[in-house]
Amino acid sequence: IGEVGAQECDPLAAERFSLAQIKQLSRSRRSIRVFKKELLPPGEIEQLVDFTRYAPAGHNNRDLRWLVVNGLEDVNRLSRLVIDWTKSVIQEQPGMAEMFHLDRLVKGWESGMDPICRQAPHLVMIIASKYNPLAQSAATIALSHLEIGAHCAGIGACWAGYLHIAVGSWEPLQKALLLEKNEVVYGAMMLGLPRYQYHRLPPRPQVKLSYL
């Protein structure tokens, strides 16, 4: 971005958050996979995306493009394309299909479920040039910030991993997203109002820590 003068920067608030407060925030975050059907109020997603401007980025590289998909119909259309991809992988790459349990996705879809996007009313994706070596880390950090921001705003979020994997190689999905030449999707996330509220903090295994 270049040099930024002090007069261009907002003053830092005196308030500080303790590690215990941040830990409580992190522990209370949940991956939401059951959403209400209604759309988020206008402007909510824009506020979340704007929040990610403050996420760190390697070499301050922020050459990312956000794509928002609104509405169950359009989200469902993308899920259907991912299912087409899973069927192709099951036939052509059975080892990979077994690793990712793709047969379960097809069975779930055929039974009337959406195991891809979980009937979320919104999807957000980060897109950048495939020649940008810093795009993947910047996108992952930005989406992580968006997920925390969503949690604070009472919005449910969950990483759309199957869609992210599929769009890397499935041309019908790339065309549906109107990707420009040399553009790549570096991450995707479902958003919506959570149908259920959680009242307990799930346990997590201890981290593995060593020193040199």
Side-chain angles (χ1 to χ4, degrees):
I1 294 178
E3 296 296 328
V4 178
Q7 69 279 4
E8 300 176 70
C9 301
D10 294 330
L12 182 63
E15 182 180 9
R16 291 289 190 273
F17 299 100
S18 69
L19 179 59
Q21 289 175 312
I22 298 301
K23 183 177 181 180
Q24 178 71 8
L25 172 63
S26 180
R27 290 187 68 194
S28 64
R29 183 214 60 81
R30 300 289 290 267
S31 294
I32 302 301
R33 296 181 176 86
V34 184
F35 300 91
K36 294 181 179 179
K37 293 183 178 181
E38 59 259 38
L39 297 176
L40 293 172
E44 289 283 346
I45 294 179
E46 288 80 2
Q47 290 186 42
L48 291 178
V49 171
D50 184 71
F51 172 65
T52 68
R53 289 192 293 134
Y54 306 100
H59 207 63
N60 212 12
N61 186 307
R62 303 175 187 276
D63 189 16
L64 306 172
R65 177 168 75 88
W66 289 84
L67 175 64
V68 179
V69 180
N70 288 323
L72 288 171
E73 183 177 345
D74 286 336
V75 173
N76 188 69
R77 178 169 58 93
L78 297 179
S79 293
R80 186 182 300 109
L81 290 171
V82 176
I83 289 296
D84 291 342
W85 167 80
T86 64
K87 294 177 179 178
S88 173
V89 174
I90 289 172
Q91 291 183 348
E92 300 174 7
Q93 303 179 62
M96 178 180 175
E98 183 177 1
M99 183 190 315
F100 289 101
H101 310 292
L102 298 188
D103 59 324
R104 299 180 187 177
L105 301 183
V106 175
K107 290 178 181 178
W109 179 264
E110 292 177 346
S111 68
M113 300 169 54
D114 179 5
I116 305 301
C117 294
R118 305 285 178 167
Q119 295 185 328
H122 307 275
L123 279 175
V124 294
M125 283 164 267
I126 291 186
I127 299 169
S129 169
K130 70 178 181 181
Y131 299 115
N132 184 345
L134 301 173
Q136 184 61 76
S137 59
T140 302
I141 295 170
L143 279 169
S144 296
H145 272 62
L146 183 138
E147 184 182 23
I148 290 294
H151 174 54
C152 293
I155 297 171
C158 186
W159 293 75
Y162 286 114
L163 185 147
H164 183 203
I165 295 172
V167 74
S169 60
W170 194 240
E171 187 173 352
L173 187 54
Q174 296 168 358
K175 289 183 177 179
L177 295 175
L178 303 177
L179 296 182
E180 297 180 5
K181 185 178 180 181
N182 298 325
E183 279 192 327
V184 172
V185 174
Y186 284 98
M189 187 166 289
M190 315 167 212
L191 293 175
L193 294 174
R195 185 178 300 177
Y196 306 111
Q197 299 296 323
Y198 295 94
H199 302 282
R200 293 184 181 273
L201 303 175
R204 292 290 185 264
Q206 294 294 320
V207 300
K208 297 178 181 179
L209 176 64
S210 60
Y211 297 89
L212 284 178

